[in-house]
Amino acid sequence: MPRQFFVGGNFKMNPSSRDQTKSIINILNSADLDSTTEIVIAPPSLYLMDVKETVRSEIQVSAQNCHHKDSGAFTGEISPVQLVDANIPWVILGHSERRTHFGETSEFIAQKTKAALKATLKVILCVGETLEEREAGKTAAVVQKQLQAVVDVLQESDWSGIVIAYEPVWAIGTGRVATSFQAEEAQLDIRTYISQSVSPSVAENTRIIYGGSVTAANSKELSTQPDVDGFLVGGASLKPEFVNIINSRLT
Ligand code: PGA
């Protein structure tokens, strides 16, 4: 079975109003979208319910983060069971902005991933190296270490709920997209690592998507790479060109 192409839109802490959010949803609701692509959008948590209620049913909704406990005294946090209760099926975990600005370690992200899966959420698990690490030839080692923490706490069957997003930190929000060669090389390394550390069938079935300055202008070529199973899109997911990225394998 070929892996289903997957496109995620990570709105981050944008847009800054409900009206702007509505405009993005309206564009998606009226567009012709590739029906073979799985589409997931992640608005800020404040807008999750609105978006869930107004977006067309083929588009799924994701949170951008969650806690690992079910409930309790964790001011400002949302739990996996609360997301499930609100019919939000996905969560993004391990984004480099959470790792960098909020001090999330790979072990903490692994704990959250385990809790999210246990609550029946599906997880977009982000990994990626900094420019310094890439230039030092450490890309594969850094990414493997980030994944290792998750591999250590999951069962083989848990992996059916995970999409891995390879997002080089130097490409996120910079306009400096990885070349198809760089994306394919890193993502094949990830698949090989998953094959060795989890199992060949999990490696074969797990979607590995690319994120970092994806636009309508570069998505088509990236999408032709055998180990690029889709995209996680930040800035361009707020623009009409997101439709073209979703449709990048058409025509
Ligand atoms: P970008 O962000 O597309 O704006 O580079 C990607 C991401 O952070 O997921």
Side-chain angles (χ1 to χ4, degrees), residues 10 12 95 97 167 171-173 212-214 232-235:
N10 176 11
K12 310 193 181 186
H95 193 279
E97 287 149 19
E167 299 206 298
I172 296 176
S213 296
V214 174
L232 184 57
V233 186

